Amino acid sequence: MKIGVLALQGAFIEHISVLQSLGVESVEVRLPGELKDLDGLIIPGGESTTITRLVDLFQLREPLFTLASDSFPIFGTCAGMIVLAGEAVNGSVNSMGVLDIKVKRNAFGRQVDSFQVDLEVPVLGKEPFPAVFIRAPYIEKMGRDVQLLARLKDGPVVAARQGKILVTSFHPELTRDNRFHRYFLDIVKGKG
Ligand code: GLN
């Protein structure tokens, strides 16, 4: 199995470390040719305006869209979720529109822009997941084909899945808990 990690900007090294610790081969993706022979792709957190601009500059938009439309497994975290969204509000991001969700960027305001919570994620088991939020978005609206995986106690949806595309508002690569990565790898293996 080989997983690509979009390495244009943001927290891609952290995702590669998690994959390494799980014994999974990974490759940094910056060019369209590097999308070949992959079994899945991670789009990391960072700054979605920058990532989408670089996606266009490196001519990755069309091949990524084609892969996503063809049941290719993709895991988007934080800015990665915004990049994949159908619509992103709060600042102008030209998101890719592969996922039927509307996200609100920087949704938790400036006062509380970073925090950690123990999040109930039923698909990961009983143990709550330590979710690290950094200037995070949340999902404001989602289509019928989107499965809700987790929401905060006061309501906002922060993890979801549509087919083989998985998204989280938070950064699972910044904690020691690798269950979200393992869940994604199960999707890649066709077991999830
Ligand atoms: N605020 C960033 C954005 O809008 C996302 C932050 C993150 O990925 N941690 O793109």
Side-chain angles (χ1 to χ4, degrees), residues 44-49 77-80 82 93 105-106 134-137 169 171:
E47 188 51 51
S48 54
T49 45
T77 59
C78 202
I82 299 168
V93 177
R105 297 179 62 220
N106 301 320
I134 305 170
R135 291 176 293 107
S169 294
H171 286 262

Side-chain angles (χ1 to χ4, degrees), residues 23-45:
V24 174
E25 190 186 347
S26 60
V27 53
E28 294 183 10
V29 173
R30 294 186 184 83
L31 299 169
E34 290 163 342
L35 289 168
K36 268 191 206 126
D37 304 324
L38 296 180
D39 299 298
L41 179 77
I42 296 178
I43 304 184

Side-chain angles (χ1 to χ4, degrees), residues 112-175:
V112 280
D113 57 6
S114 299
F115 57 98
Q116 180 169 341
V117 292
D118 287 334
L119 193 66
E120 304 286 338
V121 190
V123 293
L124 299 184
K126 272 200 177 141
E127 192 70 29
F129 188 88
V132 176
F133 292 79
I134 305 170
R135 291 176 293 107
Y138 62 59
I139 299 176
E140 241 179 26
K141 223 170 143 185
M142 48 192 239
R144 256 193 270 152
D145 294 340
V146 184
Q147 183 191 355
L148 188 162
L149 298 183
R151 71 188 327 156
L152 292 174
K153 288 220 164 71
D154 53 347
V157 178
V158 292
R161 173 180 173 179
Q162 183 178 343
K164 292 185 178 175
I165 301 182
L166 172 67
V167 287
T168 63
S169 294
F170 47 90
H171 286 262
E173 78 286 7
L174 296 183
T175 53

